[in-house]
Amino acid sequence: MPNLPKISVCSGCLACIDSCPCNALSINISADGFFYPFCDSTICKECGLCESVCPVLNISNFPCHDFKTQPFAAWSLNDETRLRSASGGGFAELAHQIFKEGGAVAGAMTRGTDIFHTIIESPEELQRLQGSKYLQSNTVGVYRKTLEYLQKGRMVLFSGTPCQVAAILRFISDKRYTGMLYTCDLICHGVPSHALFKIYLQNQKKKVQEIISFRDKAVSWKNSFAMTVKYANGEVRRNEYSKDFFLNFFGLGLSLRKSCYQCPFATLSRATDISLGDFWGIKSWPEQHKNGVSLIIVHSEKGLDFLRRTKGLEIHSATWEDALPLNPRIYNGRNMMGRFPPRFFLAQALKYLPYPLLIKLYGNIMPKTHFWWWPYKFVLISYLKMASQIKRIRLKNMFKKLGEQKKDRDDEN
Ligand SMILES: Cc1cc2nc3c(=O)[nH]c(=O)nc-3n(C[C@H](O)[C@H](O)[C@H](O)COP(=O)(O)OP(=O)(O)OC[C@H]3O[C@@H](n4cnc5c(N)ncnc54)[C@H](O)[C@@H]3O)c2cc1C
């Protein structure tokens, strides 16, 4: 049997499944609702390929680019493209550039209420990949397909969470192809439980047919935490954050994947070419805030060259002072919510607790009149305050480190 990572650190990238030449590995969903690989020992030949592609097992020799990582503020010049995107449409414009150069694009799409990775070949299909889906996507098959495209001489832009991008970089280690593979990861808060999502769907008043958007920007970017849902009766509704339990579960972060509380891929310098996120806290260009501004972080020479080639984006240099304070996942993968007691009992809570209790415990939503819940709320809020103090200390240390690096570079010059 292969020695794959422990449940607490496995990121669920699922590259191990694609790597197995005898198809001994398959996808399994844990009791708390996350993807893990399952190995059929009667088929496994113990070749070790799954261990060698695993980005978690190989984290110590993961190559970050020896390049001065730089932040940019950017937005698509096409308003329609931008509206369909979660932030400024950075991803869509990078994808358009790849299509112009004859390549294909891999990313996450929604089918009904399921999220999975796929590869598309034309701008007409791009809409399917646009927008953030706040669940872990099923990536089985996409790593093999990406390799097939590269072997045929096609360029590929692979997009996904930092662990999925780390996985494709392990999967495609053949140097012949690395020049044709462009990667962009997301600044990622972590992924919530599929089981909790299923319970959320079951508890909607009407049957949900499709999640049209997990992040609807129809009102504005800063007011985009709203889910647009299509029900089986054809009705389409936009549910605001304040009224949508799933977005509250996601935002509070008490039902994320275990590995997301200590993500080793959320570091300032990364192996990907480009990272994409929301430019939360941006003060410049206020007229652009309504439609969304992307934070684009370039990690490699190849990424910088690709960004410069990309037409259709307005790009401005930005500073870490603007980019880091409201987006800790750019430089720090640790999240204290993983140590808050209800997280330890998520699997049991999902199995035994009724939905109204789950909403209170994992979504922090409770009527003011339910005073018997006040002690829980008090402890939770105190814990959140302590966590934000720790974030502040980490941010200060990060700025200190960046200052020292700058001084070293200035001394060298
Ligand atoms: C789970 C999750 C957590 C996030 N957390 C943060 C955060 O804390 N801070 C922050 O600044 N930004 C975060 N983002 C990223 C942000 O929401 C936008 O996706 C990002 O800014 C890119 O926006 P865009 O306008 O360039 O393109 P969009 O069109 O919005 O982005 C589409 C891209 O996102 C990818 N994608 C969407 N959903 C998934 C998924 N479930 N798994 C893998 N890839 C996916 C698609 O493949 C495509 O590449 C998160 C995204 C996700 C999916």
Side-chain angles (χ1 to χ4, degrees):
M1 286 278 275
N3 273 323
L4 290 171
K6 287 187 293 188
I7 288 223
S8 57
V9 291
C10 171
S11 68
C13 70
L14 308 177
C16 50
I17 297 184
D18 272 17
S19 75
C20 182
C22 9
N23 296 327
L25 290 157
S26 57
I27 195 167
N28 188 27
I29 296 202
S30 62
D32 59 354
F34 297 97
F35 298 143
Y36 288 94
F38 166 78
C39 182
D40 183 339
S41 56
T42 60
I43 306 176
C44 175
K45 299 266 191 307
E46 302 200 353
C47 65
L49 269 176
C50 53
E51 293 165 10
S52 75
V53 299
C54 173
V56 174
L57 291 178
N58 295 286
I59 190 76
S60 57
N61 49 20
F62 219 79
C64 283
H65 297 285
D66 183 17
F67 180 78
K68 190 176 158 279
T69 300
Q70 303 172 51
F72 296 89
W75 52 87
S76 167
L77 295 169
N78 182 316
D79 282 346
E80 257 178 61
T81 302
R82 201 167 162 192
L83 190 68
R84 279 197 291 265
S85 309
S87 54
F91 162 74
E93 294 303 344
L94 294 175
H96 276 301
Q97 185 59 31
I98 285 285
F99 292 134
K100 271 187 213 150
E101 296 180 19
V105 178
M109 68 168 278
T110 311
R111 186 190 290 145
T113 54
D114 294 330
I115 314 296
F116 59 94
H117 253 68
T118 187
I119 299 195
I120 58 163
E121 302 221 16
S122 67
E124 290 73 40
E125 297 170 278
L126 186 57
Q127 212 171 320
R128 293 155 67 198
L129 302 194
Q130 281 184 266
S132 291
K133 293 97 189 168
Y134 290 132
L135 276 174
Q136 186 161 37
S137 64
N138 179 342
T139 49
V140 174
V142 79
Y143 302 106
R144 280 187 192 176
K145 259 197 205 152
T146 302
L147 179 60
E148 281 167 23
Y149 272 78
L150 295 171
Q151 283 169 337
K152 283 184 204 149
R154 298 282 298 274
M155 258 165 111
V156 177
L157 171 66
F158 187 100
S159 67
T161 56
C163 52
Q164 292 166 344
V165 168
I168 190 72
L169 290 170
R170 287 288 316 164
F171 200 90
I172 314 281
S173 52
D174 189 332
K175 293 274 175 291
R176 278 175 301 171
Y177 305 130
T178 44
M180 285 143 59
L181 175 67
Y182 287 77
T183 53
C184 75
D185 70 5
L186 303 173
I187 296 163
C188 179
H189 163 83
V191 286
S193 161
H194 281 276
L196 186 56
F197 182 61
K198 210 169 153 195
I199 294 174
Y200 158 86
L201 292 176
Q202 284 161 356
N203 281 277
Q204 297 304 294
K205 284 190 187 108
K206 293 172 209 155
K207 189 174 162 24
V208 175
Q209 185 180 329
E210 189 186 345
I211 304 294
I212 293 181
S213 171
F214 282 80
R215 211 32 223 277
D216 187 319
K217 262 182 16 191
V219 176
S220 75
W221 173 47
K222 293 199 173 159
N223 199 353
S224 62
F225 282 94
M227 244 162 76
T228 299
V229 172
K230 184 175 180 191
Y231 297 97
N233 64 1
E235 184 194 345
V236 174
R237 222 177 61 204
R238 182 180 191 273
N239 299 322
E240 287 285 339
Y241 180 79
S242 56
K243 292 186 192 119
D244 189 280
F245 299 135
F246 185 68
L247 288 177
N248 279 275
F249 294 140
F250 173 67
L252 185 60
L254 255 179
S255 50
L256 302 182
R257 189 181 179 93
K258 281 182 182 151
S259 59
C260 297
Y261 294 112
Q262 42 177 345
C263 175
F265 307 106
T267 50
L268 193 71
S269 85
R270 301 186 183 190
T272 183
D273 295 310
I274 287 175
S275 296
L276 294 172
D278 287 281
F279 209 134
W280 299 130
I282 189 157
K283 292 187 187 74
S284 316
W285 311 287
E287 72 287 357
Q288 300 298 336
H289 295 187
K290 185 170 182 291
N291 292 342
V293 180
S294 289
L295 170 61
I296 300 189
I297 302 176
V298 172
H299 299 280
S300 69
E301 202 87 55
K302 189 165 130 228
L304 186 61
D305 182 52
F306 178 36
L307 187 65
R308 285 194 178 133
R309 291 202 308 270
T310 299
K311 307 279 181 299
L313 262 185
E314 178 151 348
I315 308 171
H316 297 270
S317 282
T319 63
W320 292 123
E321 284 71 18
D322 283 339
L324 298 187
L326 293 184
N327 228 334
R329 297 296 280 195
I330 296 172
Y331 61 93
N332 191 339
R334 280 173 293 169
N335 179 341
M336 298 261 305
M337 294 317 278
R339 298 201 182 161
F340 194 63
R343 179 57 188 90
F344 294 110
F345 309 111
L346 180 64
Q348 292 77 3
L350 293 173
K351 192 165 178 197
Y352 298 112
L353 294 187
Y355 190 56
L357 269 185
L358 290 176
I359 292 169
K360 291 179 170 104
L361 273 173
Y362 295 94
N364 187 25
I365 305 170
M366 49 199 89
K368 283 196 179 118
T369 49
H370 287 195
F371 56 85
W372 52 95
W373 275 95
W374 289 357
Y376 177 74
K377 201 165 180 107
F378 175 76
V379 175
L380 177 60
I381 288 173
S382 309
Y383 191 81
L384 286 168
K385 278 194 180 148
M386 183 183 76
S388 85
Q389 285 298 338
I390 291 173
K391 271 187 210 156
R392 234 168 267 156
I393 296 169
R394 286 183 187 146
L395 178 67
K396 219 166 132 191
N397 290 341
M398 191 67 226
F399 279 133
K400 203 167 143 202
K401 201 170 144 194
L402 284 167
E404 282 165 7
Q405 279 174 2
K406 187 173 180 297
K407 192 167 168 288
D408 286 350
R409 267 199 307 272
D410 290 348
D411 289 350
E412 270 171 31
N413 296 334

